[in-house]
Amino acid sequence: MNDMDIGVLLPTGTAQWGEADDPRELVAFGRQAERLGFCSLFVNDSLISPRIEALTMLAALAPATEAVTLGTAALMPFLRRPIQAAQSLGSIDVLSGGRLTVTVGAGFPGRFGRPLYTLSELPWERRFARLDETVALWRALWDGADSFHGEILRFDDIPPTTRPSQAGGPPIWLGGATPAAQARTGRTYDGWLPYPPDPADYASGLRNVRQAAADAGRAAEDVTPALFVSVRIDDDIESGRRALDAYARATYGMPLEELERVQAVVTGSADQVLQRLGQYVAAGVRHIVARLGALDLRSQRDQLERMADLIPAVQKTDPRPGGSGQTPEPCSRRP
């Protein structure tokens, strides 16, 4: 089976809605993506702009979809109390029949991260240790633990937590690309979801992840290599860049030139987008999470259909033996 998966980020933020859009259409958007052949539906998590809260969106999608993976890209656990978050995530996994994947992150310096810690009444310092301990706590609770004693998080007499459908709980990916994050991914996480602007950086980072996994006695297959990438399929690169510039300004308050210095951005004609995504696949990516560069739900649906048309071709760019040139399976993971 070809295990090159392609998913889409749902436009849950108000910056991606037009004035006449109804956010309740997001559930129908998710069902459409599943019908079109996408393997996963992801949602992001932030307080920098109004949006449908991530876990609320996944709970709505769980009974409305049948086979797609439901994921976060990325959940910021510090925004929630850890035991209650474990309960919510376990519940979504149960409601979806074991289709949840949780990507986590610790936030970023500047306005996208540190102020959110202040709102959450948590210290900015040791945020990565707190993140890793939170994940360890979740896994312990999902295995039935009634206490947890870490360096930062310590709990006794924990009541029973909802057990997920997936044994041991849903896979947990890390959304970080620093050398330290790569090492932590290899040691303890189930997947890696960065967004490097250069495919060569992805390849070198993945080598670091796999080396850390090997040093920890894990197999390379224990860590899913994924990519978060903004995509706009247009007539040509210049028209796509104009649309993505409007998207970057509406979403982040910054021009495209600034955004693409830190995030993977792909635009142009369908052939140009395919060629660029193929470079990431050649670098080792096996699960693409595409954020569609459009600012209203009608345009989002148009981009969704254009991206869906590329799914078979992207899957055929898999360079591994048996990956290229064969008819791909719709998705590698089924519940």
Side-chain angles (χ1 to χ4, degrees):
M1 179 178 289
N2 190 321
D3 61 352
M4 179 68 225
D5 287 349
I6 301 172
V8 64
L9 184 80
L10 268 69
T12 56
T14 57
Q16 289 84 56
W17 307 341
E19 292 184 1
D21 288 335
D22 184 343
R24 292 174 294 183
E25 294 180 30
L26 290 170
V27 174
F29 186 97
R31 288 199 297 262
Q32 180 185 8
E34 182 171 39
R35 289 194 301 270
L36 288 172
F38 287 90
C39 298
S40 56
L41 303 174
F42 279 77
V43 296
N44 58 12
D45 185 31
S46 178
L47 295 179
I48 64 171
S49 62
R51 68 190 58 240
I52 301 299
E53 191 272 330
L55 301 187
T56 303
M57 188 73 249
L58 294 184
L61 289 167
T65 55
E66 297 178 358
V68 287
T69 294
L70 303 178
T72 59
L75 190 75
M76 294 187 288
F78 66 87
L79 296 178
R80 299 161 179 83
R81 295 189 179 276
I83 293 177
Q84 288 85 338
Q87 178 86 343
S88 297
L89 294 168
S91 299
I92 293 170
D93 197 58
V94 169
L95 291 173
S96 66
R99 291 185 284 127
L100 181 63
T101 290
V102 184
T103 307
V104 297
F108 301 94
R111 66 186 180 93
F112 297 119
R114 190 159 190 160
L116 305 186
Y117 277 81
T118 301
L119 289 173
S120 302
E121 300 179 316
L122 289 174
W124 176 252
E125 295 72 25
R126 302 199 69 195
R127 60 192 181 277
F128 301 114
R130 180 180 296 276
L131 175 65
D132 291 346
E133 279 201 10
T134 299
V135 170
L137 169 66
W138 291 348
R139 287 170 168 165
L141 295 177
W142 293 332
D143 276 334
D146 60 6
S147 64
F148 183 86
H149 300 98
E151 294 183 14
I152 298 173
L153 303 177
R154 302 182 66 84
F155 299 99
D156 290 305
D157 301 320
I158 303 174
T161 303
T162 300
R163 303 288 287 272
S165 289
Q166 299 177 79
I172 302 182
W173 298 358
L174 185 62
T178 65
Q182 294 164 8
R184 289 161 52 228
T185 299
R187 289 195 303 266
T188 61
Y189 285 83
D190 303 306
W192 187 47
L193 184 64
Y195 41 69
D198 189 337
D201 290 334
Y202 189 95
S204 62
L206 183 57
R207 287 194 294 270
N208 293 339
V209 168
R210 288 175 169 167
Q211 183 60 57
D215 292 343
R218 306 177 72 202
E221 295 75 21
D222 292 340
V223 184
T224 298
L227 171 74
F228 184 93
V229 55
S230 296
V231 177
R232 171 80 186 196
I233 302 174
D234 220 308
D235 295 333
D236 52 45
I237 289 178
E238 288 308 311
S239 59
R241 287 185 62 82
R242 287 193 295 271
L244 280 174
D245 183 69
Y247 183 93
R249 292 176 187 273
T251 303
Y252 290 105
M254 66 175 66
L256 176 61
E257 288 184 355
E258 186 175 346
L259 178 66
E260 64 186 352
R261 294 192 193 107
V262 294
Q263 291 192 9
V265 175
V266 175
T267 190
S269 67
D271 287 343
Q272 289 169 321
V273 168
L274 175 62
Q275 188 271 338
R276 186 61 170 174
L277 291 178
Q279 293 177 2
Y280 280 102
V281 175
V285 171
R286 295 295 171 263
H287 195 134
I288 293 172
V289 179
R291 177 171 62 179
L292 306 175
L295 292 176
D296 61 75
L297 292 183
R298 180 190 60 80
S299 300
Q300 283 274 339
R301 285 191 290 269
D302 175 68
Q303 286 294 310
L304 185 74
E305 292 176 357
R306 293 187 182 203
M307 186 66 194
D309 289 340
L310 289 187
I311 289 176
V314 173
Q315 289 177 318
K316 287 183 179 180
T317 63
D318 187 342
R320 294 167 302 161
S324 179
Q326 294 190 4
T327 301
E329 295 284 346
C331 289
S332 72
R333 182 187 180 280
R334 293 299 187 196

